[in-house]
mmCIF file of all heavy atoms in Angstrom:
data_model
loop_
_atom_site.group_PDB
_atom_site.id
_atom_site.type_symbol
_atom_site.label_atom_id
_atom_site.label_comp_id
_atom_site.label_asym_id
_atom_site.label_seq_id
_atom_site.Cartn_x
_atom_site.Cartn_y
_atom_site.Cartn_z
ATOM 1 N N LYS Y 57 90.877 142.978 126.267
ATOM 2 C CA LYS Y 57 91.941 143.818 125.731
ATOM 3 C C LYS Y 57 92.933 144.125 126.845
ATOM 4 O O LYS Y 57 92.528 144.402 127.975
ATOM 5 C CB LYS Y 57 91.376 145.133 125.204
ATOM 6 C CG LYS Y 57 90.231 144.958 124.218
ATOM 7 C CD LYS Y 57 90.461 145.644 122.934
ATOM 8 C CE LYS Y 57 89.355 145.535 121.937
ATOM 9 N NZ LYS Y 57 88.678 144.320 121.735
ATOM 10 N N GLU Y 58 94.213 144.065 126.514
ATOM 11 C CA GLU Y 58 95.226 144.452 127.501
ATOM 12 C C GLU Y 58 94.937 145.869 127.978
ATOM 13 O O GLU Y 58 94.531 146.717 127.189
ATOM 14 C CB GLU Y 58 96.625 144.391 126.887
ATOM 15 C CG GLU Y 58 97.172 142.997 126.786
ATOM 16 C CD GLU Y 58 98.615 142.981 126.318
ATOM 17 O OE1 GLU Y 58 99.406 143.851 126.721
ATOM 18 O OE2 GLU Y 58 98.938 142.076 125.526
ATOM 19 N N GLY Y 59 95.131 146.096 129.263
ATOM 20 C CA GLY Y 59 94.896 147.416 129.841
ATOM 21 C C GLY Y 59 93.504 147.607 130.409
ATOM 22 O O GLY Y 59 93.247 148.606 131.079
ATOM 23 N N GLN Y 60 92.585 146.655 130.160
ATOM 24 C CA GLN Y 60 91.247 146.757 130.746
ATOM 25 C C GLN Y 60 91.337 146.639 132.261
ATOM 26 O O GLN Y 60 92.227 145.969 132.793
ATOM 27 C CB GLN Y 60 90.346 145.620 130.252
ATOM 28 C CG GLN Y 60 89.792 145.807 128.882
ATOM 29 C CD GLN Y 60 88.950 144.616 128.447
ATOM 30 O OE1 GLN Y 60 89.301 143.475 128.731
ATOM 31 N NE2 GLN Y 60 87.879 144.888 127.723
ATOM 32 N N SER Y 61 90.384 147.250 132.937
ATOM 33 C CA SER Y 61 90.331 147.098 134.391
ATOM 34 C C SER Y 61 89.997 145.646 134.734
ATOM 35 O O SER Y 61 89.416 144.919 133.916
ATOM 36 C CB SER Y 61 89.272 148.027 134.990
ATOM 37 O OG SER Y 61 87.978 147.561 134.665
ATOM 38 N N ARG Y 62 90.373 145.253 135.925
ATOM 39 C CA ARG Y 62 90.098 143.888 136.382
ATOM 40 C C ARG Y 62 88.607 143.604 136.343
ATOM 41 O O ARG Y 62 88.168 142.558 135.858
ATOM 42 C CB ARG Y 62 90.659 143.700 137.798
ATOM 43 C CG ARG Y 62 90.406 142.333 138.393
ATOM 44 C CD ARG Y 62 91.107 142.185 139.729
ATOM 45 N NE ARG Y 62 90.749 140.932 140.384
ATOM 46 C CZ ARG Y 62 91.453 140.378 141.350
ATOM 47 N NH1 ARG Y 62 92.558 140.950 141.779
ATOM 48 N NH2 ARG Y 62 91.059 139.253 141.899
ATOM 49 N N ILE Y 63 87.806 144.537 136.813
ATOM 50 C CA ILE Y 63 86.352 144.338 136.854
ATOM 51 C C ILE Y 63 85.797 144.157 135.446
ATOM 52 O O ILE Y 63 84.985 143.269 135.198
ATOM 53 C CB ILE Y 63 85.664 145.519 137.575
ATOM 54 C CG1 ILE Y 63 86.037 145.498 139.056
ATOM 55 C CG2 ILE Y 63 84.159 145.485 137.393
ATOM 56 C CD1 ILE Y 63 85.595 146.714 139.822
ATOM 57 N N ARG Y 64 86.243 144.993 134.498
ATOM 58 C CA ARG Y 64 85.739 144.906 133.122
ATOM 59 C C ARG Y 64 86.122 143.569 132.488
ATOM 60 O O ARG Y 64 85.307 142.923 131.842
ATOM 61 C CB ARG Y 64 86.280 146.076 132.291
ATOM 62 C CG ARG Y 64 85.947 145.998 130.829
ATOM 63 C CD ARG Y 64 84.458 146.184 130.566
ATOM 64 N NE ARG Y 64 84.217 146.046 129.140
ATOM 65 C CZ ARG Y 64 83.249 145.325 128.615
ATOM 66 N NH1 ARG Y 64 82.384 144.711 129.399
ATOM 67 N NH2 ARG Y 64 83.091 145.223 127.322
ATOM 68 N N ALA Y 65 87.367 143.133 132.653
ATOM 69 C CA ALA Y 65 87.825 141.873 132.054
ATOM 70 C C ALA Y 65 87.039 140.683 132.607
ATOM 71 O O ALA Y 65 86.625 139.789 131.858
ATOM 72 C CB ALA Y 65 89.323 141.685 132.288
ATOM 73 N N ILE Y 66 86.806 140.663 133.907
ATOM 74 C CA ILE Y 66 86.037 139.576 134.520
ATOM 75 C C ILE Y 66 84.603 139.599 133.998
ATOM 76 O O ILE Y 66 84.033 138.553 133.680
ATOM 77 C CB ILE Y 66 86.080 139.672 136.063
ATOM 78 C CG1 ILE Y 66 87.502 139.410 136.563
ATOM 79 C CG2 ILE Y 66 85.094 138.703 136.702
ATOM 80 C CD1 ILE Y 66 87.722 139.744 138.026
ATOM 81 N N ASP Y 67 84.026 140.779 133.870
ATOM 82 C CA ASP Y 67 82.660 140.892 133.331
ATOM 83 C C ASP Y 67 82.578 140.356 131.906
ATOM 84 O O ASP Y 67 81.598 139.704 131.538
ATOM 85 C CB ASP Y 67 82.181 142.335 133.364
ATOM 86 C CG ASP Y 67 81.739 142.780 134.745
ATOM 87 O OD1 ASP Y 67 81.591 141.909 135.632
ATOM 88 O OD2 ASP Y 67 81.551 144.001 134.938
ATOM 89 N N VAL Y 68 83.594 140.637 131.081
ATOM 90 C CA VAL Y 68 83.605 140.149 129.701
ATOM 91 C C VAL Y 68 83.501 138.629 129.683
ATOM 92 O O VAL Y 68 82.686 138.051 128.961
ATOM 93 C CB VAL Y 68 84.884 140.617 128.956
ATOM 94 C CG1 VAL Y 68 85.080 139.840 127.658
ATOM 95 C CG2 VAL Y 68 84.825 142.106 128.680
ATOM 96 N N VAL Y 69 84.316 137.968 130.505
ATOM 97 C CA VAL Y 69 84.311 136.498 130.526
ATOM 98 C C VAL Y 69 83.002 135.972 131.092
ATOM 99 O O VAL Y 69 82.399 135.051 130.540
ATOM 100 C CB VAL Y 69 85.524 135.954 131.314
ATOM 101 C CG1 VAL Y 69 85.434 134.443 131.446
ATOM 102 C CG2 VAL Y 69 86.824 136.363 130.636
ATOM 103 N N ARG Y 70 82.535 136.539 132.165
ATOM 104 C CA ARG Y 70 81.286 136.043 132.778
ATOM 105 C C ARG Y 70 80.096 136.211 131.839
ATOM 106 O O ARG Y 70 79.199 135.368 131.817
ATOM 107 C CB ARG Y 70 81.050 136.732 134.114
ATOM 108 C CG ARG Y 70 82.015 136.217 135.165
ATOM 109 C CD ARG Y 70 81.666 136.653 136.542
ATOM 110 N NE ARG Y 70 82.553 136.014 137.502
ATOM 111 C CZ ARG Y 70 82.916 136.544 138.638
ATOM 112 N NH1 ARG Y 70 82.463 137.725 138.990
ATOM 113 N NH2 ARG Y 70 83.719 135.896 139.448
ATOM 114 N N LEU Y 71 80.066 137.273 131.063
ATOM 115 C CA LEU Y 71 78.981 137.446 130.096
ATOM 116 C C LEU Y 71 79.067 136.408 128.986
ATOM 117 O O LEU Y 71 78.048 135.961 128.464
ATOM 118 C CB LEU Y 71 78.993 138.856 129.519
ATOM 119 C CG LEU Y 71 78.477 139.939 130.462
ATOM 120 C CD1 LEU Y 71 78.712 141.330 129.870
ATOM 121 C CD2 LEU Y 71 77.006 139.736 130.780
ATOM 122 N N LEU Y 72 80.280 136.002 128.625
ATOM 123 C CA LEU Y 72 80.430 134.924 127.641
ATOM 124 C C LEU Y 72 79.869 133.610 128.179
ATOM 125 O O LEU Y 72 79.332 132.807 127.432
ATOM 126 C CB LEU Y 72 81.905 134.725 127.278
ATOM 127 C CG LEU Y 72 82.530 135.798 126.411
ATOM 128 C CD1 LEU Y 72 84.048 135.599 126.346
ATOM 129 C CD2 LEU Y 72 81.949 135.778 125.014
ATOM 130 N N PHE Y 73 80.019 133.389 129.471
ATOM 131 C CA PHE Y 73 79.552 132.152 130.091
ATOM 132 C C PHE Y 73 78.056 132.162 130.372
ATOM 133 O O PHE Y 73 77.463 131.114 130.593
ATOM 134 C CB PHE Y 73 80.273 131.902 131.416
ATOM 135 C CG PHE Y 73 81.729 131.548 131.285
ATOM 136 C CD1 PHE Y 73 82.550 131.563 132.392
ATOM 137 C CD2 PHE Y 73 82.293 131.200 130.073
ATOM 138 C CE1 PHE Y 73 83.895 131.225 132.306
ATOM 139 C CE2 PHE Y 73 83.635 130.872 129.961
ATOM 140 C CZ PHE Y 73 84.432 130.881 131.077
ATOM 141 N N ALA Y 74 77.437 133.333 130.407
ATOM 142 C CA ALA Y 74 76.019 133.426 130.771
ATOM 143 C C ALA Y 74 75.175 132.736 129.710
ATOM 144 O O ALA Y 74 75.275 133.044 128.534
ATOM 145 C CB ALA Y 74 75.607 134.886 130.896
ATOM 146 N N PRO Y 75 74.347 131.790 130.116
ATOM 147 C CA PRO Y 75 73.496 131.105 129.136
ATOM 148 C C PRO Y 75 72.432 132.053 128.593
ATOM 149 O O PRO Y 75 71.998 132.964 129.287
ATOM 150 C CB PRO Y 75 72.871 129.966 129.931
ATOM 151 C CG PRO Y 75 72.951 130.392 131.353
ATOM 152 C CD PRO Y 75 74.141 131.310 131.467
ATOM 153 N N GLU Y 76 72.063 131.817 127.352
ATOM 154 C CA GLU Y 76 70.984 132.604 126.764
ATOM 155 C C GLU Y 76 69.673 132.174 127.396
ATOM 156 O O GLU Y 76 69.572 131.104 127.988
ATOM 157 C CB GLU Y 76 70.948 132.373 125.256
ATOM 158 C CG GLU Y 76 72.182 132.887 124.553
ATOM 159 C CD GLU Y 76 72.147 132.618 123.059
ATOM 160 O OE1 GLU Y 76 71.063 132.332 122.529
ATOM 161 O OE2 GLU Y 76 73.206 132.700 122.449
ATOM 162 N N GLU Y 77 68.665 133.005 127.235
ATOM 163 C CA GLU Y 77 67.353 132.706 127.809
ATOM 164 C C GLU Y 77 66.869 131.339 127.325
ATOM 165 O O GLU Y 77 66.930 131.032 126.138
ATOM 166 C CB GLU Y 77 66.354 133.776 127.396
ATOM 167 C CG GLU Y 77 65.039 133.659 128.104
ATOM 168 C CD GLU Y 77 64.113 134.814 127.775
ATOM 169 O OE1 GLU Y 77 64.604 135.924 127.564
ATOM 170 O OE2 GLU Y 77 62.904 134.574 127.740
ATOM 171 N N GLY Y 78 66.469 130.498 128.245
ATOM 172 C CA GLY Y 78 65.963 129.176 127.912
ATOM 173 C C GLY Y 78 67.036 128.120 127.786
ATOM 174 O O GLY Y 78 66.750 126.953 127.610
ATOM 175 N N ALA Y 79 68.314 128.507 127.892
ATOM 176 C CA ALA Y 79 69.398 127.539 127.771
ATOM 177 C C ALA Y 79 69.596 126.800 129.088
ATOM 178 O O ALA Y 79 69.153 127.253 130.144
ATOM 179 C CB ALA Y 79 70.699 128.245 127.372
ATOM 180 N N ASN Y 80 70.269 125.663 129.019
ATOM 181 C CA ASN Y 80 70.585 124.912 130.226
ATOM 182 C C ASN Y 80 71.561 125.698 131.095
ATOM 183 O O ASN Y 80 72.376 126.460 130.580
ATOM 184 C CB ASN Y 80 71.224 123.570 129.866
ATOM 185 C CG ASN Y 80 70.251 122.657 129.175
ATOM 186 O OD1 ASN Y 80 69.042 122.772 129.342
ATOM 187 N ND2 ASN Y 80 70.779 121.748 128.381
ATOM 188 N N ILE Y 81 71.504 125.482 132.371
ATOM 189 C CA ILE Y 81 72.443 126.114 133.284
ATOM 190 C C ILE Y 81 73.787 125.413 133.130
ATOM 191 O O ILE Y 81 73.853 124.193 133.069
ATOM 192 C CB ILE Y 81 71.929 126.033 134.735
ATOM 193 C CG1 ILE Y 81 70.653 126.857 134.863
ATOM 194 C CG2 ILE Y 81 72.987 126.484 135.708
ATOM 195 C CD1 ILE Y 81 69.988 126.761 136.207
ATOM 196 N N ILE Y 82 74.844 126.195 133.067
ATOM 197 C CA ILE Y 82 76.177 125.621 132.936
ATOM 198 C C ILE Y 82 76.933 125.775 134.246
ATOM 199 O O ILE Y 82 76.648 126.668 135.034
ATOM 200 C CB ILE Y 82 76.958 126.272 131.772
ATOM 201 C CG1 ILE Y 82 77.089 127.779 131.987
ATOM 202 C CG2 ILE Y 82 76.316 125.977 130.449
ATOM 203 C CD1 ILE Y 82 77.933 128.474 130.958
ATOM 204 N N LYS Y 83 77.885 124.900 134.444
ATOM 205 C CA LYS Y 83 78.689 124.925 135.665
ATOM 206 C C LYS Y 83 79.869 125.862 135.446
ATOM 207 O O LYS Y 83 80.594 125.726 134.460
ATOM 208 C CB LYS Y 83 79.187 123.521 135.991
ATOM 209 C CG LYS Y 83 80.064 123.467 137.213
ATOM 210 C CD LYS Y 83 80.580 122.079 137.477
ATOM 211 C CE LYS Y 83 81.518 122.108 138.657
ATOM 212 N NZ LYS Y 83 82.140 120.839 138.895
ATOM 213 N N THR Y 84 80.055 126.806 136.343
ATOM 214 C CA THR Y 84 81.191 127.710 136.262
ATOM 215 C C THR Y 84 82.023 127.609 137.529
ATOM 216 O O THR Y 84 81.491 127.324 138.607
ATOM 217 C CB THR Y 84 80.744 129.177 136.072
ATOM 218 O OG1 THR Y 84 79.938 129.565 137.180
ATOM 219 C CG2 THR Y 84 79.975 129.359 134.776
ATOM 220 N N THR Y 85 83.317 127.815 137.378
ATOM 221 C CA THR Y 85 84.224 127.846 138.522
ATOM 222 C C THR Y 85 85.223 128.965 138.309
ATOM 223 O O THR Y 85 85.458 129.394 137.178
ATOM 224 C CB THR Y 85 84.992 126.519 138.703
ATOM 225 O OG1 THR Y 85 85.770 126.268 137.534
ATOM 226 C CG2 THR Y 85 84.071 125.360 138.968
ATOM 227 N N SER Y 86 85.794 129.422 139.397
ATOM 228 C CA SER Y 86 86.862 130.412 139.286
ATOM 229 C C SER Y 86 87.864 130.184 140.404
ATOM 230 O O SER Y 86 87.516 129.718 141.488
ATOM 231 C CB SER Y 86 86.301 131.834 139.336
ATOM 232 O OG SER Y 86 85.752 132.111 140.597
ATOM 233 N N SER Y 87 89.116 130.497 140.092
ATOM 234 C CA SER Y 87 90.197 130.437 141.067
ATOM 235 C C SER Y 87 90.969 131.735 140.958
ATOM 236 O O SER Y 87 91.206 132.228 139.853
ATOM 237 C CB SER Y 87 91.151 129.277 140.773
ATOM 238 O OG SER Y 87 90.489 128.047 140.854
ATOM 239 N N THR Y 88 91.339 132.282 142.095
ATOM 240 C CA THR Y 88 92.112 133.518 142.109
ATOM 241 C C THR Y 88 93.376 133.300 142.926
ATOM 242 O O THR Y 88 93.324 132.763 144.025
ATOM 243 C CB THR Y 88 91.297 134.678 142.723
ATOM 244 O OG1 THR Y 88 90.086 134.811 141.983
ATOM 245 C CG2 THR Y 88 92.064 135.980 142.677
ATOM 246 N N PHE Y 89 94.489 133.710 142.346
ATOM 247 C CA PHE Y 89 95.785 133.656 143.024
ATOM 248 C C PHE Y 89 96.273 135.101 143.144
ATOM 249 O O PHE Y 89 96.673 135.699 142.149
ATOM 250 C CB PHE Y 89 96.790 132.825 142.222
ATOM 251 C CG PHE Y 89 96.371 131.400 142.003
ATOM 252 C CD1 PHE Y 89 95.624 131.046 140.875
ATOM 253 C CD2 PHE Y 89 96.711 130.408 142.907
ATOM 254 C CE1 PHE Y 89 95.235 129.731 140.669
ATOM 255 C CE2 PHE Y 89 96.324 129.095 142.702
ATOM 256 C CZ PHE Y 89 95.582 128.759 141.585
ATOM 257 N N GLU Y 90 96.175 135.660 144.346
ATOM 258 C CA GLU Y 90 96.660 137.024 144.579
ATOM 259 C C GLU Y 90 98.176 136.968 144.721
ATOM 260 O O GLU Y 90 98.708 136.132 145.440
ATOM 261 C CB GLU Y 90 96.020 137.621 145.830
ATOM 262 C CG GLU Y 90 94.505 137.762 145.758
ATOM 263 C CD GLU Y 90 94.011 138.785 144.742
ATOM 264 O OE1 GLU Y 90 94.797 139.662 144.324
ATOM 265 O OE2 GLU Y 90 92.837 138.698 144.359
ATOM 266 N N LEU Y 91 98.852 137.854 144.012
ATOM 267 C CA LEU Y 91 100.307 137.873 144.003
ATOM 268 C C LEU Y 91 100.802 139.267 144.369
ATOM 269 O O LEU Y 91 100.043 140.239 144.326
ATOM 270 C CB LEU Y 91 100.829 137.509 142.600
ATOM 271 C CG LEU Y 91 100.251 136.236 141.976
ATOM 272 C CD1 LEU Y 91 100.590 136.184 140.493
ATOM 273 C CD2 LEU Y 91 100.823 135.035 142.689
ATOM 274 N N ASP Y 92 102.091 139.379 144.677
ATOM 275 C CA ASP Y 92 102.670 140.704 144.884
ATOM 276 C C ASP Y 92 102.644 141.442 143.556
ATOM 277 O O ASP Y 92 103.175 140.960 142.557
ATOM 278 C CB ASP Y 92 104.119 140.599 145.388
ATOM 279 C CG ASP Y 92 104.194 140.073 146.810
ATOM 280 O OD1 ASP Y 92 103.204 140.222 147.552
ATOM 281 O OD2 ASP Y 92 105.251 139.517 147.180
#
C-alpha cells in the first residue's frame, strides 16, 4: 500500500517469496538504487 514504511513493504514482498514448508528453495535477488 502506498505510504507503507520501507521495512514493511520489503517484508510484504519477501514473505510472498518465502517458500511454504517442504517447497523447493527459490532463487531471490534484489537491487537497490539509493537516490536523492
Side-chain angles (χ1 to χ4, degrees):
K57 307 235 181 318
E58 282 186 39
Q60 282 178 321
S61 71
R62 179 174 174 161
I63 292 171
R64 174 68 182 134
I66 293 169
D67 282 348
V68 166
V69 174
R70 287 191 174 149
L71 285 172
L72 287 170
F73 290 167
E76 295 179 17
E77 189 174 327
N80 293 335
I81 295 175
I82 59 175
K83 178 182 176 185
T84 60
T85 60
S86 66
S87 298
T88 303
F89 300 90
E90 298 293 341
L91 309 166
D92 290 336

